Amino acid sequence: MGAISQFARNRRRIQHRIVARGPRPGASQRNKTLALTVDKPVAAMLKRDRGDSIEGEQSSAHDGTSDERRLVIDSITMEAMQNEVTDLLPASLMTICRALARTDSILLLYGNESPKKNGVNGVVGMFRALRMESSEGSSKQVDRRKQELQHALRKLGSRVGSCSEMMHTWDDLEQVLSSVFVLPGEPPTDADVKLPAQQRTASQHSEKAGFAKYLAMLQRSAPKSQAYGKWKKISSTLVPKRMKLQLEPDGSVAVEPELVPLEEGKETALETMDRQLLEQIAEAEKLVRIKDSRIESDIVAREEREEREREEAEAEAKARASTLLRPLTREEQNIVNEAIRGIGPESEILRTCENDSIQRQSLHKLNPGVWLNDEVIHYFLLMLAKRDERLSQENPGGRKRSHFFKSFFMTKLLDDGSSGNYKYANVKRWSKNVPGKDIFALSKIFFPVNIMNQHWTCAAIFMEDKRIQFFDSMHGTGIRYLKGLFQYLKDEHQAKKGCPLPDQDQWQLVCCTNDTPVQNNGNDCGVFTCMFADFLSTDCPLSFSQKHIHQCRERIALSIMNGSAII
């Protein structure tokens, strides 16, 4: 520690002596060397390049005079500066100078020799100029020129008023840069900084290091530089045929241009590169068009296939629906006549199923022009359940069950006749009677709705389609019942599954649609309600209308008397 302190004190004494009175005549080489170590790197560099004395630099700094010497900037470095500041403008002079001083690509371009050499310009000259060797002397020289450029930019950015001096265009900035740089095309004066003679010789750059080596070094030093991205685009462009690529022993790629005089009508290297780039773009666009055409043809084929399958399904459904309205045989007609027109006690029970039964007077309601009562509708829905059970047994594992609630369910759920409010507690235990005791495992659920004891409608939940729909032969909306059933599903899932109903936003509430069959009188709403459940439970379209209503009444009677809905 004592030796270091003594060295520092000697260093300060020598520096003060040089600044105060200049070097003494006949100073030893040791004192000159020591004087160099205490000066700034840029001052030492200027002395070595111009032959100026260090004492003159220090005297100028001491008395406050400005340094009017300018650095010579080549066209490539100037273009790189312009590319770098394009996205910054408008900005203050201080901001721009700081950004340029930290851009490694600009420092690298200035640190190496000018791209113009031996009369070769343009891209060919750029390729040749950017080849450099990694020797220790060349590396030191590049570092020195980097520091020189950084010093000039920082000095310009720290002048008075630089933080408020705004640069709006490149011309504004170029005018300011001319105060510290000799711009391309401007002849340097005697006071300007000349390129060192050793830097102007071609011997300082190896002919073996290629353009790829420069890019690799540039990528390591400035991976996020805007200028690097632009040079990367240049490097990725196809090399014209006039360029020869040669792999060197050290792994680098050497670019040797063949400077063949262009014949009249021949394209230049840049024109060749543009043409090849346009050919690549055209080929890529062609491939995209081919791919798009294939995708479009696949979409059209899929749509046609889906349309064909939909038409086939509709034709099959219509065929099934036609069987539902088939003419009755003579034997079946006799059964129907005995049921709806037979003579006997009105309270006579004609059929019994489980805990339900139906009397003769209820079956008489199936005569034309008579309202159906709840006993007929409930018993017919029970017959639909029997048919659904049989069809599921005939196709095990391939057909889910459906369930048919009585009209009392909706009356209890919405508390009709009392408060008229939704009450899940009134029907919480009703799901225990559904097949499998789980309504969420069913395919469809049907709800006959008696509106104020004056009109019959039907609501249905299609579990697999996540749809709740209302069917009314007088085209009422039924939104109150749809909302009540959706809330019932949510409460039922929370109560029985212990969690909210999943995918609630995917459920649809569909009011009565325009294609729903319409009654033409005030007597057949109950028959339409029975037929809605009959057709929908077998996935048949609602292909019946008012003209089929007499046949539908006989169909209901035959189903009740047979103990199962007919197919």
Side-chain angles (χ1 to χ4, degrees):
M1 294 296 293
I4 296 176
S5 301
Q6 183 63 32
F7 175 77
R9 287 193 294 272
N10 294 337
R11 178 179 177 180
R12 286 196 294 271
R13 284 199 299 270
I14 294 173
Q15 183 178 10
H16 292 321
R17 184 186 304 167
I18 293 175
V19 172
R21 63 186 183 185
R24 290 176 295 179
S28 64
Q29 184 64 27
R30 175 178 177 277
N31 289 339
K32 293 181 180 179
T33 304
L34 186 59
L36 286 175
T37 62
V38 300
D39 284 323
K40 297 180 179 180
V42 175
M45 174 194 63
L46 294 177
K47 176 187 175 184
R48 183 163 58 253
D49 289 347
R50 303 193 308 269
D52 297 338
S53 65
I54 300 175
E55 294 78 10
E57 293 289 339
Q58 291 180 337
S59 299
S60 175
H62 182 71
D63 58 14
T65 60
S66 62
D67 188 2
E68 299 297 336
R69 296 175 179 84
R70 298 184 300 168
L71 304 182
V72 178
I73 298 293
D74 55 50
S75 60
I76 297 299
T77 305
M78 199 66 179
E79 183 179 355
M81 286 184 178
Q82 184 177 359
N83 292 336
E84 191 68 28
V85 303
T86 299
D87 298 331
L88 295 177
L89 296 175
S92 64
L93 177 61
M94 180 179 67
T95 301
I96 295 175
C97 290
R98 288 184 177 180
L100 293 176
R102 290 194 295 264
T103 304
D104 292 336
S105 58
I106 296 176
L107 299 177
L108 283 171
L109 287 172
Y110 180 77
N112 295 276
E113 68 172 344
S114 171
K116 290 188 177 183
K117 190 175 75 170
N118 298 332
V120 180
N121 300 331
V123 176
V124 176
M126 187 193 312
F127 284 171
R128 174 176 294 180
L130 291 175
R131 290 181 298 194
M132 53 194 173
E133 66 178 359
S134 58
S135 62
E136 182 179 359
S138 176
S139 178
K140 291 182 179 180
Q141 182 179 346
V142 170
D143 292 340
R144 182 180 59 79
R145 284 180 56 81
K146 286 183 184 180
Q147 295 175 1
E148 176 185 277
L149 181 62
Q150 284 180 324
H151 176 74
L153 290 171
R154 289 169 180 168
K155 181 178 179 181
L156 179 62
S158 61
R159 74 181 189 181
V160 178
S162 62
C163 60
S164 59
E165 184 177 359
M166 296 298 296
M167 300 290 108
H168 297 279
T169 63
W170 168 250
D171 294 336
D172 297 342
L173 180 61
E174 190 176 24
Q175 184 177 1
V176 176
L177 292 177
S178 63
S179 63
V180 293
F181 298 122
V182 179
L183 305 182
E186 178 184 355
T189 62
D190 295 337
D192 294 328
V193 178
K194 305 297 192 302
L195 289 175
Q198 58 180 352
Q199 198 172 356
R200 293 194 295 267
T201 61
S203 60
Q204 295 297 323
H205 296 279
S206 172
E207 296 294 334
K208 297 182 179 181
F211 183 48
K213 184 175 181 180
Y214 165 74
L215 286 178
M217 183 181 69
L218 185 61
Q219 186 176 11
R220 290 193 302 270
S221 60
K224 297 182 180 179
S225 172
Q226 297 179 10
Y228 169 73
K230 295 169 183 175
W231 285 112
K232 186 65 177 178
K233 292 181 180 178
I234 296 177
S235 67
S236 61
T237 308
L238 291 178
V239 179
K241 294 182 179 179
R242 294 181 179 274
M243 294 290 182
K244 295 193 302 183
L245 302 180
Q246 182 177 356
L247 185 63
E248 298 295 337
D250 60 353
S252 61
V253 179
V255 181
E256 292 294 341
E258 292 183 351
L259 301 180
V260 181
L262 291 176
E263 300 177 4
E264 185 177 357
K266 296 289 185 178
E267 60 185 7
T268 63
L270 289 177
E271 292 173 344
T272 301
M273 297 167 67
D274 291 339
R275 176 178 55 78
Q276 292 174 343
L277 180 60
L278 292 176
E279 291 175 356
Q280 287 184 339
I281 294 175
E283 182 66 21
E285 291 177 347
K286 180 180 178 181
L287 295 176
V288 170
R289 286 194 299 270
I290 294 175
K291 184 177 180 181
D292 291 343
S293 63
R294 291 177 179 175
I295 294 175
E296 184 176 358
S297 61
D298 292 342
I299 293 175
V300 172
R302 185 174 65 252
E303 290 177 349
E304 292 177 351
R305 184 174 63 255
E306 292 175 352
E307 180 66 22
R308 186 167 55 253
E309 293 175 352
R310 183 166 55 253
E311 292 177 354
E312 293 175 355
E314 290 178 356
E316 182 182 356
K318 289 180 180 180
R320 291 198 310 270
S322 63
T323 61
L324 296 179
L325 297 176
R326 62 178 176 80
L328 300 181
T329 64
R330 178 175 297 182
E331 182 181 358
E332 292 174 339
Q333 189 66 54
N334 292 334
I335 296 175
V336 171
N337 292 336
E338 175 63 25
I340 64 178
R341 300 181 184 90
I343 301 176
E346 292 186 354
S347 60
E348 180 184 359
I349 297 177
L350 297 183
R351 286 293 181 270
T352 301
C353 181
E354 298 177 358
N355 297 327
D356 291 287
S357 61
I358 187 168
Q359 299 177 356
R360 185 183 295 274
Q361 62 180 354
S362 296
L363 286 174
H364 287 174
K365 304 289 186 183
L366 292 171
N367 284 298
V370 182
W371 285 20
L372 299 188
N373 60 8
D374 56 354
E375 186 175 2
V376 174
I377 294 176
H378 293 165
Y379 203 91
F380 178 71
L381 294 181
L382 182 59
M383 297 301 100
L384 295 180
K386 290 295 182 181
R387 183 185 65 183
D388 183 78
E389 181 181 4
R390 186 177 74 252
L391 294 176
S392 298
Q393 290 175 353
E394 294 174 356
N395 186 17
R399 189 179 190 277
K400 290 185 177 182
R401 291 291 307 275
S402 298
H403 186 65
F404 304 83
F405 280 106
K406 295 182 178 180
S407 61
F408 305 132
F409 178 91
M410 191 64 70
T411 303
K412 290 289 187 180
L413 180 67
L414 300 181
D415 201 20
D416 286 344
S418 181
S419 65
N421 298 326
Y422 170 86
K423 289 186 178 181
Y424 170 71
N426 291 346
V427 296
K428 184 176 182 180
R429 301 174 59 87
W430 285 50
S431 60
K432 292 183 178 181
N433 297 324
V434 305
K437 302 184 183 302
D438 183 7
I439 66 172
F440 300 101
L442 300 175
S443 174
K444 306 174 188 68
I445 309 174
F446 295 94
F447 305 86
V449 181
N450 187 347
I451 302 178
M452 300 177 65
N453 292 324
Q454 295 181 358
H455 182 55
W456 285 99
T457 61
C458 179
I461 300 178
F462 301 89
M463 301 297 294
E464 296 174 320
D465 297 336
K466 292 183 173 60
R467 185 176 83 252
I468 307 176
Q469 190 165 349
F470 191 71
F471 299 90
D472 185 356
S473 57
M474 299 190 72
H475 282 197
T477 60
I479 188 63
R480 174 172 177 257
Y481 304 102
L482 296 176
K483 291 181 178 180
L485 290 176
F486 186 44
Q487 185 62 43
Y488 166 73
L489 288 180
K490 294 189 287 185
D491 292 341
E492 181 73 9
H493 197 280
Q494 183 67 45
K496 303 301 170 58
K497 304 292 184 179
C499 61
L501 178 68
D503 304 327
Q504 296 185 17
D505 57 335
Q506 298 181 12
W507 279 83
Q508 298 178 349
L509 305 183
V510 182
C511 297
C512 185
T513 57
N514 294 330
D515 58 348
T516 303
V518 181
Q519 67 183 88
N520 295 334
N521 54 42
N523 306 319
D524 296 324
C525 58
V527 180
F528 275 87
T529 297
C530 292
M531 290 298 102
F532 289 150
D534 188 2
F535 278 63
L536 293 173
S537 62
T538 54
D539 297 321
C540 292
L542 303 179
S543 57
F544 61 92
S545 63
Q546 181 69 46
K547 67 180 181 180
H548 302 107
I549 208 65
H550 178 69
Q551 189 177 356
C552 292
R553 286 178 177 267
E554 292 182 342
R555 176 182 175 82
I556 295 173
L558 182 59
S559 298
I560 292 175
M561 298 305 293
N562 286 345
S564 176
I566 62 176
I567 298 178

